[in-house]
Amino acid sequence: MQGPGAYTPALMEADDTDEALMLRYAQGDAAAFDALYGRHRGGVFRYLLRQLNSNRAAAEELFQDVWMSLIGARSRYRVEAKFTTWLYTMAHNRVIDHYRRHRPLEVVSLNDDEDDDPPELAAPPTAQPERAVEARQQAARLLALVDALPPAQREAFLLHEEGGLSLEEIAAVTGCDREAVKSRLRYAMDKLRRGMGDLL
Amino acid sequence: MSQAPRDESASSEAGLARAWREASHDEPPAAMDDAIRAAARKAVHAGPRPAGASPFGGRWRVPLSVAAVLVVSATVTLLVAERDKRGPRSFHDQAAPPQAASAPEPFGAEPAPAEPELPVQAAEQQVPPVPSLPTPERQREPAGTAQPQLAERKGLGSAAPAESAGAEPSQAPARAQRAEGPAQPAPLTSTAPAAARHDEAEAVAGAPAAAPPAPRAADTLRDAAPGAADEPADGLAKREARSAIRAKESVMEEARPQPPQAQEPARKAAPLRAEPRGLPAAPGAAASPDGDTAADTENLEPKAWLERILELRRQGKLEEAAKSLRAFRERYPDYPLPQELNAPR
């Protein structure tokens, strides 16, 4: 699934890059793992949670599985790609495995480029007087919109926002070409913008 | 696309991203964080060291590998050289004894005293198969080299080979014939000159009568038995018959000229053994006037047969020699005769 590409580890010159931390951890530096984990624990967890339709228990299970796999593979780690690409590839594979076990038919739909309309959600309340309430409503609406996205578009959006991956890296994680990823991401953004309306 | 819509799209994407960061705050539980961090530390401290951290995995890997290869190569080279030094000797040491042990007994070689008592099956295991019929040259070579030793042994009165006995055990006058046996000429297949053979025969003839020159193993046992000289002729014949049966089952019986009636079963029982046809005639057998000896002569190889005919002529038995020569010509009409036989006698 992962395409290593021709990634040049220029970031290795800095000691605090993800790749440098992973190499230090592979050499026995446990503190490097703590730093690495602190950076990516939230993004990986949210990616899993949204991909699993907010199934928290399943997300926690897969989250632990991803990090344990990373720990077990530390001695084989080579800087052939960006660390986040490798990390989210493992997460993506766990999601695929999860859907194969529990909902096999959704594996097919995970790669579908569905271009359906955004879900008909309730209109944003425009007359909320309080800012906090407005923010909560905005967040809830956005989460609902993301959950309603087609899986492929949702995954592209999540990898872009939570993992900070570029189009090429998303393509590498998902096994698609760059143009397909770009299209998915554009559709996802358009739907979310339309769904959010004037809340943005 | 104009600059304004692009900026608007970019600003909306930025607003969407900001809204997403504000909306999504889900975190893994703290207990899971602790469990994963603990697992990571445990793997580092208790797990196998990574390849890069190994003391032999870094800069020492290549030098140590080269050194190990050199040591192994030098050891193998020394071993091979040492083995080559002693290679031929050890080869002969290993190869020669089995060959000598398993090779068929030369015609004049000293037989083992206990060998005639071995069963036929065991004796067959000791005798290797003969791939083809022995040529006269092959047969002559061991016979010629072994026969002087036989003569020496006879002269010293030591244990003599059994094949020098020409008489059959079942025949009553066997002893007397054996006593006369050493006076007969040496085997006809020997390559030594006739005069030398006569000398050997004379040396054998000089042996004391108390020590028969060629007692067969069975006869040796019989002679060693107390009271054997006083045994009645009937009992003696029975004993000799039993000895003949045992002797037929032995290997030495195979290496000895046999009468025609005993030869055929022996050939059937051991087809791979050396054919007795090419064996040199035992001393005394040529002088025997009975028909069995003539049959033995006809069983000889052509060259040995001719030698025997010449020997008969030398002994003055011209009639017998002529008879044998006629039989020879009937058997081998195209075989070239030596000049001595072509000359009229």
Side-chain angles (χ1 to χ4, degrees):
Chain A
M1 183 66 97
Q2 178 183 1
Y7 177 72
T8 303
L11 296 175
M12 286 186 63
E13 295 173 1
D15 288 341
D16 57 349
T17 61
D18 293 342
E19 293 77 19
L21 289 174
M22 186 62 201
L23 287 175
R24 282 165 51 193
Y25 173 62
Q27 294 173 359
D29 186 358
F33 177 83
D34 290 343
L36 203 59
Y37 180 74
R39 285 183 190 179
H40 298 286
R41 54 183 283 278
V44 173
F45 183 77
R46 285 188 290 274
Y47 166 78
L48 292 171
L49 184 64
R50 300 304 166 204
Q51 283 289 83
L52 298 174
N53 294 318
S54 301
N55 183 346
R56 194 168 185 91
E60 288 178 359
E61 179 185 351
L62 295 192
F63 177 78
Q64 187 174 6
D65 191 16
V66 167
W67 285 102
M68 295 306 291
S69 297
L70 184 145
I71 292 170
R74 68 189 184 282
S75 61
R76 299 190 299 273
Y77 177 74
R78 301 288 181 270
V79 186
E80 296 173 347
K82 196 175 178 182
F83 172 78
T84 49
T85 304
W86 181 49
L87 178 64
Y88 279 93
T89 298
M90 287 193 291
H92 168 82
N93 292 337
R94 296 304 182 282
V95 171
I96 297 292
D97 293 341
H98 172 81
Y99 279 114
R100 279 180 182 158
R101 286 197 303 267
H102 298 286
R103 292 190 298 179
L105 294 178
E106 291 219 3
V107 176
V108 178
S109 64
L110 191 64
N111 291 324
D112 286 345
D113 283 333
E114 301 173 17
D115 193 17
D116 50 357
D117 294 331
E120 293 295 331
L121 300 177
T126 55
Q128 293 288 342
E130 301 174 1
R131 177 67 182 161
V133 175
E134 184 179 332
R136 279 201 301 271
Q137 290 178 343
Q138 183 185 18
R141 184 168 181 83
L142 184 57
L143 289 176
L145 287 171
V146 169
D147 285 344
L149 286 174
Q153 295 176 17
R154 185 175 60 221
E155 184 175 43
F157 173 79
L158 290 173
L159 289 174
H160 181 69
E161 295 298 329
E162 296 291 351
L165 303 185
S166 64
L167 295 177
E168 290 79 8
E169 290 164 352
I170 295 172
V173 170
T174 58
C176 302
D177 56 47
R178 182 183 180 280
E179 292 304 315
V181 171
K182 184 179 178 181
S183 174
R184 289 173 185 173
L185 191 58
R186 190 180 68 245
Y187 280 125
M189 289 293 190
D190 289 346
K191 287 177 188 175
L192 293 178
R193 266 197 301 268
R194 279 186 282 154
M196 293 298 292
D198 53 354
L199 288 177
L200 294 178
Chain B
M1 186 180 284
S2 64
Q3 185 69 25
R6 189 179 300 174
D7 291 342
E8 186 180 349
S9 175
S11 64
S12 67
E13 282 187 11
L16 191 60
R18 186 179 58 252
W20 175 253
R21 283 193 297 274
E22 291 175 356
S24 181
H25 293 288
D26 297 296
E27 298 282 338
M32 183 167 290
D33 290 343
D34 295 340
I36 290 173
R37 286 193 176 107
R41 288 193 195 93
K42 186 179 178 183
V44 165
H45 293 123
R49 295 175 66 91
S54 171
F56 297 105
R59 56 184 178 177
W60 291 106
R61 176 183 294 174
V62 173
L64 286 176
S65 302
V66 171
V69 168
L70 288 177
V71 168
V72 171
S73 302
T75 305
V76 170
T77 304
L78 288 176
L79 286 175
V80 169
E82 189 177 354
R83 199 171 64 176
D84 287 345
K85 283 181 183 176
R86 59 183 183 187
R89 191 186 64 189
S90 62
F91 172 76
H92 287 301
D93 290 345
Q94 292 174 0
Q99 187 179 6
S102 61
E105 283 285 328
F107 305 127
E110 181 179 16
E115 215 171 21
E117 296 301 320
L118 290 173
V120 173
Q121 191 173 0
E124 283 178 347
Q125 292 173 356
Q126 292 180 352
V127 178
V130 179
S132 62
L133 286 175
T135 62
E137 287 74 19
R138 281 187 203 164
Q139 298 160 3
R140 213 182 310 127
E141 200 164 343
T145 54
Q147 199 59 36
Q149 301 172 2
L150 172 65
E152 287 175 8
R153 284 198 302 270
K154 287 172 181 174
L156 292 174
S158 61
E163 56 264 336
S164 60
E168 292 306 314
S170 60
Q171 294 173 350
R175 271 193 189 186
Q177 194 172 355
R178 271 199 304 276
E180 296 172 2
Q184 300 305 319
L188 297 176
T189 54
S190 171
T191 55
R197 289 199 300 270
H198 275 294
D199 294 340
E200 293 168 7
E202 287 170 5
V204 170
R216 292 165 41 165
D219 295 339
T220 305
L221 291 173
R222 182 196 59 197
D223 293 344
D230 302 334
E231 199 171 11
D234 191 12
L236 183 61
K238 288 179 180 177
R239 288 188 56 128
E240 285 183 350
R242 286 197 298 270
S243 298
I245 293 172
R246 286 200 302 269
K248 283 179 185 177
E249 295 174 349
S250 67
V251 179
M252 298 312 299
E253 189 67 26
E254 292 295 327
R256 190 179 305 131
Q258 295 176 359
Q261 63 269 22
Q263 230 170 7
E264 289 305 319
R267 284 180 195 168
K268 288 176 184 174
L272 294 179
R273 295 183 186 181
E275 286 288 332
R277 169 185 289 242
L279 295 176
S288 178
D290 54 7
D292 289 344
T293 305
D296 285 346
T297 304
E298 291 180 0
N299 287 330
L300 289 174
E301 290 292 329
K303 195 157 189 172
W305 194 347
L306 293 174
E307 290 280 353
R308 177 163 294 188
I309 294 171
L310 285 172
E311 204 62 37
L312 291 173
R313 282 195 177 187
R314 290 190 202 100
Q315 294 170 12
K317 301 176 179 177
L318 298 178
E319 185 178 352
E320 191 175 347
K323 182 180 177 183
S324 184
L325 183 59
R326 282 195 298 274
F328 178 84
R329 279 180 169 159
E330 288 176 2
R331 176 76 66 86
Y332 306 104
D334 298 330
Y335 195 89
L337 296 176
Q339 196 170 0
E340 301 96 299
L341 289 179
N342 283 330
R345 264 293 168 104

